[in-house]
Amino acid sequence: MGSGRQRAQSFMILATMLYRASHLTAGVLAVVQHQRVVAAQYAGLAVALGLSVLGYGAALRRGWFDPRHIWADVLVTGCALPFVLCTWGGAREPASLEWAMLLGGSASAAASIALERVQALAALALLVAAHLVGYQLVGASPAVVGHVNSVLSSAVMAWVFWWYLRRQGRLLDDANARALGAETHKARYAERLEHHRALHDTVLATLTTLAAGGVDANAPAVRERCAREAAYLRRLIQQTAAEVPHREIGAALEEAVGSVESLQLRVTTQYHDLPKVPPHVAAAFADAVREALNNVRRHAGTGHAYLTATHDPDRPGGAVVTVVDRGPGFDPERYVPGLGLRGSVHGRMAQAGGRASVDTAPGEGVRVELRWPA
């Protein structure tokens, strides 16, 4: 679509071209009906048509008018043509000259927007003079005022339209620039938030467990997990989001389960007829599952969790993943969700177009259900 100014230019080219086309149509009808045997009338019409095709064709290709073509149109079509018709075209009355004078109106409209201010005023003065002298030659003094007004009003209206469209184009470009800046800022914020969630679910979870003394820091599984997360931090620094490898949902869930099992949480998994989902959805499921399992290890007081993943029987192509523990549960009315549950579980699923729900009660354990699409 281009910038706002480019749209304004395209509109003005089209508007003035249609204005010229209406005058050429009137010229064709006038010559065919009243000047059938005067070759100069046909020649003048052909010249006006040729200059119009040249000027507007070049404007459509380049995106704006060439001042040389505008001056050629003003001098030949707007100024010289009426005198040629009076001298060689048999124009002895206003009706035989009027179609040529009409072309001066569309010439003034194009000149007012395509030429610099001083040049546009000079072109307008030449067109007005040509109208005054031309109608004097055919004895049509009463018609001079109306036709001069047409030349002037065409120029003024075209210039006003052009000024207004340029102004609106600048406002549109400014608004687009602000919107682009806001989107860029939003994307950067979302990327930072995603990094924060990832660090919360991986590195922070590992460090919290090690600090609490719940696992042996020298155990091979713990050391392996620490090595994986160190590699993850290096990738986070070096790569963009577009470079993150895409994974199927089953592989993504297995990776999430494996990362938590290295911290001595046993997870019983069951997969059945998993659908193919977009890569970002698989990543959202995996990250939400990882945080749900981290919550089991930290808060449930049990070393065992259950994960089930299957297709959604109610939505073709959808998926449902549940994480269940048999811990003490909690009262949802009195519990304020923390960052992990809000951002890493609910937030991630919502961003991917899914949803998460938590079903629990005191003494009943916790069931986290992840569903996509919502």
Side-chain angles (χ1 to χ4, degrees), residues 104-233:
S106 50
S108 70
S112 68
I113 62 173
L115 301 177
E116 298 293 336
R117 182 173 300 178
V118 174
Q119 294 186 22
L121 292 175
L124 193 59
L126 289 174
L127 290 169
V128 170
H131 274 64
L132 291 173
V133 175
Y135 274 118
Q136 289 291 335
L137 292 177
V138 294
S141 298
V144 170
V145 175
H147 284 274
V148 169
N149 177 67
S150 175
V151 171
L152 295 175
S153 61
S154 296
V156 170
M157 285 190 293
W159 183 86
V160 169
F161 290 155
W162 175 226
W163 170 83
Y164 177 78
L165 289 173
R166 276 187 302 176
R167 179 176 178 273
Q168 295 302 112
R170 285 195 297 270
L171 294 176
L172 178 61
D173 289 340
D174 291 343
N176 287 338
R178 289 194 297 271
L180 181 60
E183 286 297 320
T184 301
H185 177 75
K186 182 179 178 182
R188 289 174 179 170
Y189 176 77
E191 184 178 9
R192 288 199 303 271
L193 182 61
E194 185 63 25
H195 290 168
H196 293 166
R197 290 172 177 169
L199 292 173
H200 175 275
D201 299 348
T202 56
V203 179
L204 183 58
T206 302
L207 293 175
T208 301
T209 302
L210 292 175
V215 297
D216 181 6
N218 292 317
V222 175
R223 296 176 63 184
E224 180 184 354
R225 172 170 174 142
C226 290
R228 284 202 310 269
E229 292 182 357
Y232 167 73
L233 285 176

Side-chain angles (χ1 to χ4, degrees), residues 12-26:
M12 290 306 301
I13 293 172
L14 179 61
T16 52
M17 182 173 66
L18 293 176
Y19 191 34
R20 169 54 61 89
S22 67
H23 290 172
L24 288 173
T25 301

